[in-house]
Amino acid sequence: MALEPGQITVGSRVIKPEDDQTVLVERTLRSGQSVFYAGNVVILGDVNPGAQVTATGDVIVVGSLRGTVHAGAGGNEKAMVVAFRFEPTQLRIASHIARPPEGMISTGQPEVARIKDGLVTIEAYLATGERQAGGAKVTRKLAGARIENGG
Amino acid sequence: MGEVIVITSGKGGVGKTTATANIGAGLAMRGYKVALVDADIGLRNLDVVLGLENRIVYDLVDVAHGHCRLKQALIKDKRFEGLYLLPAAQTKDKTAVKPEQMKEICLQLKEEFDFVIIDCPAGIEQGFRNAIAGAEKAIVITTPEVSAVRDADRVIGLLEAAELREPKLVVNRLRPRMVRQGDMMTIEDIIDILAVDLLGVIPEDEQIIVTTNRGDTVVLMDRSRSGEAFRNITRRILGEPVPLMELERDGHFFARLRRIMGLG
Ligand SMILES: Nc1ncnc2c1ncn2[C@@H]1O[C@H](COP(=O)(O)OP(=O)(O)OP(=O)(O)O)[C@@H](O)[C@H]1O
Ligand SMILES: [Mg+2]
């Protein structure tokens, strides 16, 4: 889908973004509903199984992520996906496609997915950024997270 | 002025017609005037479930097209004074009625009846759009299966888009033993995804099949578990705060359910 900067559709409705960088979606996306946005997307709600979010930038879900998210849809390898409860059906970042291992359940903590060493990697999201507070760093790798070149 | 409630699910065969018949009978049992509308044109069922098939002369399509007056098409139930059925046509298809016509019929029914309950066809196409057109409230039915819950979620999204906000959920065919063994979705799992209020939980019960085949309802049967579940749902529709009965809970999730029901 060709995205104009600042353009957003929720389902079949075209919604005017708050600004041309980040859009707030103040609702839960249910099965069959989708959001496309050229920029970052913040969902204040859940992304249910069967729902889809596509953004050229980051995607942040302030709720449960159980549907499909594509961050960095234009090819941005630095894009990330953050969710308070991380149980996506499928995850895409730039041209990488990953699916969680069978039966993966959420840690119940906010987690972040991004590309590290060519793999989509999920880890605990620390509000302090990259600094680790002395403890062990827990990293979970997603199955099928190989680079899909040009895919 | 009555209230128009549509009973819908997305997925087929999860219990819409069963629920329409039993909730309708339950409300009529309490003395209310109830009209049941079979919106499943081409696959009508509600008349059979109520044992009224042999009394049909006119149907919903006849009313929509002005072939008869609404009163002529309404069939009085055998058992309950205040219960009436507006049957679906069997020989037409779902495009035989338009949403505008459904709206008009619901408006007319509302003037006569305390409750108008619409039995929605499966799916999310024209038949669904017709069925919800005249409704003010919605009850969504699901079974504790991933695919049924997914369809319920889709339907809730469509209802919200059609301004039918805050639908209530009924979970049908729950098998407490399977839930305890971890082989069936729990009520909590379902509510966690759908995030709507729970109206009630109906257990899997052979009595439903037995009564349905006889053209009868379980809601009348004092000792039936599913009958009790339907009586509770009826009371909740009437605004009474009825706690969930034993089989409607699944163990340690009770505390959370009480909160969802607004009782805790
Ligand atoms: N709680 C239950 N326990 C046992 N059987 C049930 C229960 N609820 C429904 N059934 C049976 O399941 C079948 C389907 O129910 P029903 O016809 O009410 O579903 P429906 O959603 O109206 O289907 P359709 O989508 O085809 O209109 C029927 O045979 C019914 O008797
Ligand atoms: Mg039916």
Side-chain angles (χ1 to χ4, degrees):
Chain A
M1 162 166 297
L3 291 170
E4 301 291 323
Q7 194 188 358
I8 176 171
T9 61
V10 177
S12 56
R13 284 186 300 151
V14 177
I15 284 181
K16 211 167 163 289
E18 310 265 295
D19 59 56
D20 61 2
Q21 279 301 303
T22 299
V23 70
L24 274 180
V25 178
E26 291 177 89
R27 55 183 270 195
T28 286
L29 294 181
R30 297 188 180 274
S31 178
Q33 297 176 330
S34 56
V35 166
F36 297 90
Y37 184 59
N40 311 307
V41 175
V42 178
I43 310 271
L44 298 178
D46 301 336
V47 177
N48 279 359
Q52 190 168 351
V53 179
T54 306
T56 55
D58 300 336
V59 176
I60 295 161
V61 180
V62 187
S64 300
L65 168 54
R66 297 191 175 101
T68 296
V69 166
H70 189 177
N76 179 4
E77 300 249 332
K78 298 229 154 36
M80 60 178 184
V81 178
V82 178
F84 277 37
R85 224 182 119 143
F86 215 96
E87 297 174 348
T89 309
Q90 196 194 78
L91 204 60
R92 302 181 186 185
I93 297 178
S95 57
H96 303 246
I97 301 180
R99 91 190 124 67
E102 292 292 319
M104 181 189 98
I105 47 163
S106 162
T107 58
Q109 301 295 319
E111 292 182 281
V112 54
R114 60 192 135 196
I115 299 169
K116 284 202 166 168
D117 306 324
L119 285 177
V120 175
T121 304
I122 304 183
E123 53 204 345
Y125 178 73
L126 300 166
T128 49
E130 297 303 314
R131 264 183 299 127
Q132 301 291 317
K137 186 168 153 187
V138 187
T139 300
R140 299 194 290 159
K141 289 230 164 40
L142 291 187
R146 297 239 59 95
I147 306 173
E148 296 235 340
N149 282 314
Chain B
M1 270 297 206
E3 194 169 274
V4 186
I5 306 173
V6 63
I7 299 191
T8 182
S9 67
K11 191 170 163 67
V14 298
K16 294 177 292 296
T17 302
T18 305
T20 305
N22 279 282
I23 292 172
L27 288 166
M29 215 163 80
R30 300 285 302 265
Y32 291 90
K33 260 196 105 178
V34 184
L36 305 181
V37 180
D38 190 348
D40 202 349
I41 298 167
L43 278 175
R44 74 174 184 214
N45 268 180
L46 191 52
D47 54 321
V48 180
V49 168
L50 291 165
L52 299 174
E53 187 179 16
N54 56 8
R55 300 173 196 215
I56 297 178
V57 180
Y58 297 110
D59 57 48
L60 178 66
V61 175
D62 292 320
V63 178
H65 293 181
H67 298 157
C68 69
R69 282 176 294 113
L70 179 56
K71 280 228 168 77
Q72 290 176 288
L74 285 170
I75 300 166
K76 195 175 173 315
D77 185 68
K78 296 186 279 196
R79 290 139 297 198
F80 298 103
E81 193 52 37
L83 187 62
Y84 288 79
L85 168 70
L86 179 56
Q90 182 70 321
T91 52
K92 317 248 171 35
D93 69 34
K94 295 183 166 71
T95 56
V97 174
K98 298 200 164 47
E100 281 310 311
Q101 296 168 324
M102 274 301 282
K103 253 189 210 165
E104 178 54 37
I105 291 171
C106 289
L107 271 178
Q108 283 186 44
L109 286 170
K110 239 169 80 163
E111 287 179 11
E112 282 277 323
F113 293 90
D114 300 313
F115 290 95
V116 179
I117 304 180
I118 303 170
D119 182 12
C120 184
I124 53 174
E125 285 82 33
Q126 170 100 37
F128 168 77
R129 284 197 293 273
N130 281 340
I132 68 167
E136 297 151 333
K137 290 189 178 169
I139 295 175
V140 174
I141 306 233
T142 187
T143 53
E145 289 163 287
V146 174
S147 58
V149 172
R150 183 77 56 93
D151 288 0
D153 191 44
R154 179 101 169 88
V155 155
I156 293 167
L158 294 171
L159 290 170
E160 286 167 348
E163 306 284 320
L164 272 166
R165 309 219 177 272
E166 296 178 14
K168 301 274 187 278
L169 182 72
V170 169
V171 179
N172 188 20
R173 309 195 80 151
L174 189 85
R175 300 200 213 175
R177 193 186 302 128
M178 282 184 74
V179 173
R180 278 195 297 276
Q181 289 166 349
D183 294 329
M184 185 172 255
M185 283 179 97
T186 66
I187 300 297
E188 192 193 41
D189 294 338
I190 299 169
I191 299 281
D192 200 29
I193 290 179
L194 299 180
V196 291
D197 287 347
L198 186 64
L199 185 63
V201 180
I202 303 150
E204 173 78 27
D205 186 357
E206 285 178 8
Q207 283 301 329
I208 289 197
I209 299 163
V210 174
T211 51
T212 299
N213 288 338
R214 278 208 308 257
D216 205 347
T217 48
V218 281
V219 72
L220 268 178
M221 301 171 61
D222 282 342
R223 311 187 54 149
S224 146
R225 309 256 275 168
S226 57
E228 185 179 355
F230 274 118
R231 285 194 294 279
N232 287 346
I233 286 173
T234 305
R235 291 169 62 192
R236 291 182 193 123
I237 290 174
L238 294 170
E240 294 173 33
V242 189
L244 290 163
M245 57 196 246
E246 195 62 45
L247 56 84
E248 291 181 287
R249 315 167 194 158
D250 36 31
H252 50 289
F253 296 124
F254 183 47
R256 189 188 154 116
L257 285 173
R258 282 173 64 83
R259 242 194 308 124
I260 293 163
M261 294 296 300
L263 305 168

